[in-house]
Amino acid sequence: LVFWIFIGFCVALAGGVFLARRISKPILGIGAVAEVVGSGNLDVKVGELTSNDEISDLGRQINSMIDGLREKTRLEIFNKKLKDLNDQLTSKNEEIEDANKQLSQRNAQISFQHKIIENKNKMITSSINYAWEIQNAVIPVQADLNEGFPGHFVIYRPKDIVSGDFYWYHKLGEGLYIIALADCTGHG
């Protein structure tokens, strides 16, 4: 009887050791993986998950959790890069808006100056046209020149509207005439 008790005790002890090793080894592996993940390394997995017991289910759930954490970390990095790019775009947009404001101000100045120049141009052109009328009033009529100088010719072509060159004729008496030719240098 003692022999059978001893044999039973040995079998129970061997079974207990075998069962303890079978349970503790995967649990120690899960603990080691949890420690590595806790330090921030998400490139680990719980291995040897071939059985369908509770410990293997726990290992699969931890592997799924690591995959989720890895995806969450990847998304956080992506979101940070996206935020940085968005901040850069916002900064560039503000620079563009400032440049557009400056361009609008410059365009307003240019438009104002254009109106001033346009007004001055109208005034100058009006003055030049009036000078043309005065000049045409002073220049003798061809019929009067023909009377005193038959067969004469005059080439008179102003460069623009008013000529800087002009001629003048006046009859003083019978056979007595005054002719004046004037050249204003640089005025065509």
Side-chain angles (χ1 to χ4, degrees):
L1 180 67
V2 175
F3 176 73
W4 289 110
I5 291 178
F6 179 72
I7 295 283
F9 178 72
C10 286
V11 168
L13 184 62
V17 168
F18 175 76
L19 190 58
R21 288 184 74 112
R22 181 152 164 79
I23 292 173
S24 66
K25 185 177 177 184
I27 290 176
L28 289 174
I30 290 172
V33 167
E35 195 172 318
V36 170
V37 168
S39 70
N41 183 356
L42 299 176
D43 294 328
V44 294
K45 290 248 186 205
V46 175
E48 299 179 30
L49 301 173
T50 56
S51 64
N52 286 329
D53 58 8
E54 291 83 5
I55 294 174
S56 293
D57 285 343
L58 178 62
R60 281 188 279 279
Q61 289 172 356
I62 288 177
N63 283 345
S64 176
M65 179 189 71
I66 291 171
D67 290 340
L69 286 172
R70 190 179 303 120
E71 181 65 17
K72 181 181 179 196
T73 302
R74 188 186 69 76
L75 286 174
E76 286 173 351
I77 291 170
F78 177 77
N79 283 338
K80 183 177 181 340
K81 288 180 181 178
L82 193 61
K83 183 186 178 309
D84 290 345
L85 288 173
N86 193 32
D87 290 345
Q88 289 175 4
L89 279 174
T90 300
S91 175
K92 292 295 180 188
N93 281 341
E94 289 171 358
E95 289 176 21
I96 289 170
E97 285 176 11
D98 288 344
N100 280 340
K101 286 178 185 176
Q102 289 176 359
L103 284 174
S104 291
Q105 290 172 348
R106 288 182 182 157
N107 282 342
Q109 287 174 342
I110 289 170
S111 178
F112 178 73
Q113 291 170 348
H114 177 73
K115 287 179 182 176
I116 290 172
I117 291 170
E118 196 174 63
N119 189 32
K120 296 290 183 187
N121 188 38
K122 285 179 184 176
M123 290 171 57
I124 291 169
T125 303
S126 175
S127 293
I128 290 172
N129 286 332
Y130 188 68
W132 177 82
E133 289 182 26
I134 293 171
Q135 192 174 52
N136 277 344
V138 171
I139 292 177
V141 179
Q142 289 300 316
D144 292 342
L145 281 173
N146 283 338
E147 179 185 324
F149 302 99
H152 81 280
F153 68 93
V154 174
I155 299 175
Y156 179 72
R157 292 190 303 206
K159 179 181 169 200
D160 293 311
I161 297 173
V162 177
S163 175
D165 304 333
F166 64 94
Y167 59 97
W168 179 75
Y169 161 82
H170 184 69
K171 182 178 178 180
L172 292 175
E174 195 58 40
L176 193 56
Y177 304 97
I178 296 177
I179 295 179
L181 301 173
D183 179 19
C184 186
T185 305
H187 287 83

